Every structure is written in structure tokens, then in C-alpha cells.
Amino acid sequence: MFRPSTRSALIASVLIASSCASVAQTKVSDDVVRIGVLTDMSGVFSANVGPGSVLATKLAIEEFGGKVAGKPIEMLFADHLNKADIGAARAREWMDRNGVDVVTELGNSAVALAVMNVAAEKNRVTMVTGAGATRITGEDCKPNNVMWVYDTYALAKVGTLPLVQDGAKKWYFITADYAFGHSLEGDGMRFVKDGGGSVSGSSRYPFPGTDFSSYLISAQASGANAVAFASAGADLQNQIKQANEFGLSINQKLVAMLMSITDVHGVGLDAAKNMNFAETFYWDMDDETRKFSQRFFKELGKMPTALQAGQYSAVLNYLRAVEKSGSDQAEVVMKTLREMPIQDAFARNAKLRPDGKLIHDTYLVSVKTPQESKGPWDYYKIVKTVPGDQAFSPLSESKCPLVKK
């Protein structure tokens, strides 16, 4: 049933319950496990998260038959409109009025950081699957928060360093002017320099943007070998299209610091061919990824992004932790998550660290040419699999105050 909500944010609650009864006595608050999916349903990130992340949550709940620890599972979802104050207000309302136990997705770093503060105050769990600022598990880490899919450190290291080593020594950055963009730019510049390269300049644009002509002209005039886009979603797609129109791809390598399969689909293989970037999931890796992705495709008509696959994984493992512990209490769930094995269609060789970061395999991919692709969504070649302990920052470098040095 859909209900209107304030500030035009979309909210709905879906109660999914199986017919089998259970008399098991558990420590589940209100006798219901409530999951709140706070996402971008209508903005620049909606294709990468949004309705697909809601669907991914639904698929994870269905794997439990709608019940966990003998109690029904309820899902709520809302649009945070990429505004931190709206996201924080919605999360607070969910926790105070609806008894939500975990708020997840949070596909905007500013929104994620704001909601994490609310959850810490209310002693609830947050599972960040769509945001990537390193602060989330760094200086702003929280004891009941996890960061499941990626961070800007891993994206930059896996997606940038190999290109510098292959000869792209001079870089220019076009950056979204907010927390995620700043973090992605900073980590990207670090690995360019670590690899022996240099940064000839950067431009920051007001987020979201549509006309990138002035920034692209500056990048073209810089003489850089590589032009890096520290952005995502619709902004990234527009940047790639406009860069091709300006002819940047003729003499300069275009680098996406964060790109998804829907971005490739949106700009087309002609525009995206041969681009390299870091990924955390690809639907056509093996039988397990194909099985989940076909379920997803059947309902939404497209293959899942890494963020949507990561959302499925995070919710699935949250429910596994509730099932294993018999409780939805935040500290119990977090302790169980850190102790139990984490392995599914998304998470490979995964382990949850004390700072809340999930460490797992990451991939360097190359976009196929139109001639190499065998059909719709056949877009990636996996160039290299990078183990999690090599892709993500070492715990010894963590700025999280929860980490004992």
C-alpha cells in the first residue's frame, strides 16, 4: 500500500509474511523485523540504486520466506532526494514512529553520514551500500554501521593505479562538488602520484550538473593524458557523452572513477568502449551471479548494478545475522555479522572489519567494443581480480576511533 509523505518523498511499506506459524521465542523488538530502504528514487543516482535497490531488498526477504527468527519482515522505502536533512528526518521518523531496526542503501555520502548520526543516537543499525566516502568507516565511523560495497579508496586504487603504470602519467579531474566527489578526487590524486604520475589540474562543478562544456575545455587544454570523472550516475553519463562530442577521447583517455553497468548501457558501447574502472560485481561472472541477476532482470528488465547486488547481499546477511542470533538488537546483530562467514552472489572472500568496512574481492574491468559484445548487457571483460586486502585500505591506516591501534 502506498502512502503520501512529506516533502514529496515516496514511502511505502510492504509486509511480507509466510503462511507457516512459529512459536519460537526470540528477542525481536515489536515482534517484527523492519528494514528501511532510504534511496534515490528520482534523481541522478536512481538508475544505479533506487527502484533496483528496493527490488534487491525484496528478493533478499523472499529468500527467507518473509519471516526471520519466526517473525515477519516489513520493508519501508523512501526517496531522500539527495538531501541530507530530508534523509535524516525520514530515518528519525522511521525509528521513532515505525520501529525500523535497520536503515540501508543510503546512496549519497552526505545523506549516509547524516543518517548514521541519527542511528547512533537511536541505537539502530545502518548498512551503507550506495555511498563511498571513506569518512563513513574512517573518522566518522559508528559502532552500528557497515559499509558494504565499495569506498573511494578501493575505486581509486583498483581503477587508477594500473592506468598510471601503463603510461597515463598526467591527469585532470572533473569532480562533483560534495563529499563523495571530494573523497573520490582525493583518493584518485593520491594513487596517480603514488604511481609516479602528476595532476595537471582539476575542476569542481555544482552537483548535480548538466552542461560540462567549460570543464571539458579546461581538461582538453591541460594536455593531460587522462581525464578522470569523479562523479556518478546521470552526471557521469552526460560527461562521457559531451567529452566524446568535444573529441577528448581522440587524444586523451577518459576514466570513470565510479561507473556502473547502467551507465555503460546509458551511453552505449561506442562512447564507453575500452574504458577501464573498478567494479565490485558483474552479472555474468559465474552461475551464482547469473542466477541472482536473472531473478532481478525478470522483474525490472535490466541487469543489476554492483550497488543493487550489494544491497541484496547486505540485507540477506543482516537477516542471516538476525536468524542466527535470534535478535534484531543492534549490538547483537553487529557482533554476529562480524563473526559469521559472508559469502553470496555479491560478496566473495568477504569479512567485516571492526571499522564497519566489508572487505571483499574487487575487479578491474574493461568495457567491450560493440564488435566484442554478444548482445544486450554483455559489456565487461574482467581484466583482474584484486583481493579485498589489496583493494581496500589496511586497517592499520584507519582513522576510525573504534579501531584499536
Side-chain angles (χ1 to χ4, degrees), residues 184-353:
L184 197 52
E185 178 192 72
D187 286 321
M189 289 181 175
R190 168 184 174 175
F191 287 110
V192 166
K193 294 172 183 177
D194 284 353
S198 63
V199 178
S200 61
S202 65
S203 299
R204 290 184 174 181
Y205 69 89
F207 168 83
T210 53
D211 182 3
F212 300 97
S213 56
S214 63
Y215 312 113
L216 292 167
I217 290 171
S218 296
Q220 197 169 34
S222 72
N225 307 124
V227 178
F229 301 119
S231 57
D235 280 16
L236 173 65
Q237 292 186 36
N238 285 328
Q239 287 161 0
I240 294 172
K241 290 175 182 177
Q242 291 174 33
N244 276 278
E245 291 169 4
F246 277 86
L248 268 72
S249 58
I250 297 173
N251 297 312
Q252 294 169 297
K253 187 169 186 61
L254 305 183
V255 181
M257 301 296 291
L258 171 61
M259 196 167 188
S260 76
I261 196 166
T262 55
D263 295 323
V264 176
H265 192 75
V267 301
L269 290 180
D270 271 329
K273 63 179 180 291
N274 299 320
M275 290 184 71
N276 294 100
F277 51 93
E279 262 287 22
T280 50
F281 175 85
Y282 180 45
W283 71 270
D284 201 21
M285 282 176 54
D286 55 35
D287 288 343
E288 192 172 11
T289 59
R290 285 188 285 271
K291 180 179 178 181
F292 162 71
S293 299
Q294 292 296 343
R295 289 173 61 204
F296 186 97
F297 185 88
K298 184 177 180 180
E299 296 207 32
L300 207 60
K302 67 173 188 175
M303 289 300 177
T305 66
L307 302 181
Q308 291 158 349
Q311 174 70 8
Y312 160 81
S313 171
V315 174
L316 186 70
N317 283 282
Y318 174 82
L319 294 174
R320 286 173 176 172
V322 173
E323 184 75 42
K324 184 178 179 66
S325 66
S327 174
D328 62 358
Q329 299 302 307
E331 58 275 11
V332 176
V333 171
M334 291 298 298
K335 182 177 185 294
T336 307
L337 277 171
R338 289 192 173 98
E339 292 174 348
M340 71 185 210
I342 296 173
Q343 181 83 10
D344 53 54
F346 168 83
R348 305 300 174 90
N349 303 307
K351 182 174 179 58
L352 187 62
R353 291 197 322 199

Side-chain angles (χ1 to χ4, degrees), residues 11-317:
I11 182 170
S13 64
V14 182
L15 186 64
I16 310 172
S18 67
S19 57
C20 60
S22 173
V23 295
Q25 297 299 312
T26 65
K27 298 177 182 178
V28 172
S29 57
D30 304 328
D31 288 329
V32 178
V33 175
R34 294 187 177 91
I35 302 168
V37 183
L38 195 53
T39 187
D40 179 358
M41 294 293 290
S42 57
V44 294
F45 304 135
S46 57
N48 290 338
V49 287
S53 290
V54 174
L55 171 59
T57 305
K58 175 177 174 286
L59 294 177
I61 293 171
E62 286 178 351
E63 289 201 22
F64 275 78
K67 280 193 174 185
V68 61
K71 305 297 181 181
I73 305 165
E74 184 175 294
M75 176 180 69
L76 296 88
F77 65 90
D79 192 340
H80 56 53
L81 303 178
N82 288 301
K83 295 181 179 180
D85 58 341
I86 290 178
R90 176 62 60 218
R92 188 177 298 276
E93 179 184 351
W94 277 351
M95 294 172 193
D96 288 344
R97 298 184 182 180
N98 302 99
V100 165
D101 301 296
V102 54
V103 179
T104 182
E105 206 286 294
L106 302 168
N108 175 301
S109 292
V111 172
L113 290 163
V115 173
M116 285 164 55
N117 287 331
V118 175
E121 175 191 335
K122 302 291 184 180
N123 194 30
R124 308 296 169 86
V125 174
T126 46
M127 303 188 84
V128 179
T129 64
T134 52
R135 289 170 51 192
I136 291 169
T137 52
E139 56 266 42
D140 293 315
C141 71
K142 300 290 186 263
N144 294 340
N145 177 68
V146 301
M147 192 177 192
W148 206 260
V149 177
Y150 69 96
D151 65 12
T152 56
Y153 180 104
L155 293 177
K157 184 175 183 181
V158 176
T160 301
L161 192 56
L163 302 182
V164 180
Q165 294 169 340
D166 284 345
K169 297 294 186 181
K170 193 175 180 181
W171 289 62
Y172 191 96
F173 285 78
I174 297 177
T175 304
D177 193 9
Y178 78 114
F180 170 76
H182 299 170
S183 185
L184 197 52
E185 178 192 72
D187 286 321
M189 289 181 175
R190 168 184 174 175
F191 287 110
V192 166
K193 294 172 183 177
D194 284 353
S198 63
V199 178
S200 61
S202 65
S203 299
R204 290 184 174 181
Y205 69 89
F207 168 83
T210 53
D211 182 3
F212 300 97
S213 56
S214 63
Y215 312 113
L216 292 167
I217 290 171
S218 296
Q220 197 169 34
S222 72
N225 307 124
V227 178
F229 301 119
S231 57
D235 280 16
L236 173 65
Q237 292 186 36
N238 285 328
Q239 287 161 0
I240 294 172
K241 290 175 182 177
Q242 291 174 33
N244 276 278
E245 291 169 4
F246 277 86
L248 268 72
S249 58
I250 297 173
N251 297 312
Q252 294 169 297
K253 187 169 186 61
L254 305 183
V255 181
M257 301 296 291
L258 171 61
M259 196 167 188
S260 76
I261 196 166
T262 55
D263 295 323
V264 176
H265 192 75
V267 301
L269 290 180
D270 271 329
K273 63 179 180 291
N274 299 320
M275 290 184 71
N276 294 100
F277 51 93
E279 262 287 22
T280 50
F281 175 85
Y282 180 45
W283 71 270
D284 201 21
M285 282 176 54
D286 55 35
D287 288 343
E288 192 172 11
T289 59
R290 285 188 285 271
K291 180 179 178 181
F292 162 71
S293 299
Q294 292 296 343
R295 289 173 61 204
F296 186 97
F297 185 88
K298 184 177 180 180
E299 296 207 32
L300 207 60
K302 67 173 188 175
M303 289 300 177
T305 66
L307 302 181
Q308 291 158 349
Q311 174 70 8
Y312 160 81
S313 171
V315 174
L316 186 70
N317 283 282

